[in-house]
Amino acid sequence: MRHDYNDLIVIFNGLFLESLNTELLLGGDEPIYLPASNERVHNQIIFARGYFASAMHELAHWCIAGVERRKLEDYGYWYEPDGRSEAVQAEFEKVEIKPQAIEWILSASCGFKFQVSCDNLSGDCEPDRVAFTLKVREQVLTYLEYGIPERAKILSDAFRDFYGIKKLTEQDFIQPVRFDEMCCV
């Protein structure tokens, strides 16, 4: 299956440019959300370097940001760059569970492989990717059972329609297994 970021732009902007004054745009090295202002007619979700996964991640943050957060640059969230301590990494992962769960749902809606982003390549600790993935998966299952946030559902439905993906179920979100837990025959 072909995954072209231009399709995401067309679908998203068709759904939300007029209704919520928000556009998805290709950006440079760093993704960012910029609210409408004197310099910008529209709110802008800018994803990095044409990466499909970057667009998915930025869309996920937008999908869960409330009205007041969408008035702030990057939704007013703190971000500590790569190189975080173990304690700061734990805080990062805590606030990333819901957006990454939405990202996984949006990715699955496109038939695109999802992988959690621990985003701490040069930190003083090795993030536990499997444990984080399990937390994100648990949030995905909660959304599937109790409802996906409205904008994420609209976007998921549009992506599934475009890519010909059936309704998402628990089986679409495979539980990770640690290498040391695998049984070798």
Side-chain angles (χ1 to χ4, degrees):
M1 183 177 301
R2 186 181 133 255
H3 291 99
D4 183 339
Y5 68 81
N6 288 298
D7 296 328
L8 301 179
I9 291 171
V10 169
I11 293 167
F12 181 89
N13 291 349
L15 291 169
F16 299 112
L17 183 58
E18 286 191 33
S19 65
L20 291 175
N21 192 37
T22 304
E23 65 182 331
L24 179 63
L25 298 167
L26 169 63
D29 290 341
E30 294 296 325
I32 191 166
Y33 171 80
L34 300 169
S37 67
N38 292 335
E39 297 84 38
R40 286 177 297 286
V41 174
H42 307 293
N43 303 307
Q44 297 177 341
I45 303 168
I46 302 171
F47 64 98
R49 300 183 185 159
Y51 294 143
F52 200 87
S54 176
M56 291 282 103
H57 188 77
E58 297 312 307
L59 289 172
H61 274 286
W62 179 81
C63 283
I64 63 169
V67 172
E68 292 305 311
R69 288 256 186 216
R70 293 193 315 266
K71 293 177 184 176
L72 304 171
E73 184 173 315
D74 261 351
Y75 314 107
Y77 290 123
W78 66 271
Y79 179 77
E80 187 159 330
D82 188 5
R84 294 183 286 274
S85 68
E86 188 171 349
V88 174
Q89 180 66 22
E91 285 302 308
F92 168 83
E93 289 178 9
K94 194 182 323 179
V95 300
E96 279 289 312
I97 290 171
K98 287 184 177 182
Q100 291 202 31
I102 295 296
E103 179 183 351
W104 198 349
I105 290 168
L106 295 178
S107 295
S109 299
C110 297
F112 185 74
K113 183 174 173 30
F114 170 80
Q115 183 173 329
V116 295
S117 173
C118 295
D119 201 20
N120 198 26
L121 299 173
S122 64
D124 67 3
C125 65
E126 179 65 32
D128 186 339
R129 182 173 296 280
V130 172
F132 184 47
T133 301
L134 289 169
K135 291 174 187 173
V136 171
R137 182 178 183 271
E138 189 62 37
Q139 183 63 55
V140 166
L141 299 181
T142 298
Y143 282 142
L144 292 178
E145 183 174 351
Y146 296 105
I148 299 168
E150 181 183 15
R151 282 171 283 134
K153 180 164 182 358
I154 292 168
L155 203 49
S156 171
D157 290 346
F159 288 163
R160 286 188 311 99
D161 183 55
F162 181 82
Y163 287 100
I165 303 292
K166 65 180 177 30
K167 182 177 179 178
L168 301 175
T169 67
E170 180 177 342
Q171 287 70 39
D172 295 305
F173 303 93
I174 297 171
Q175 184 165 321
V177 178
R178 293 185 189 280
F179 181 74
D180 59 352
E181 295 173 352
M182 294 173 52
C183 177
C184 300
V185 178

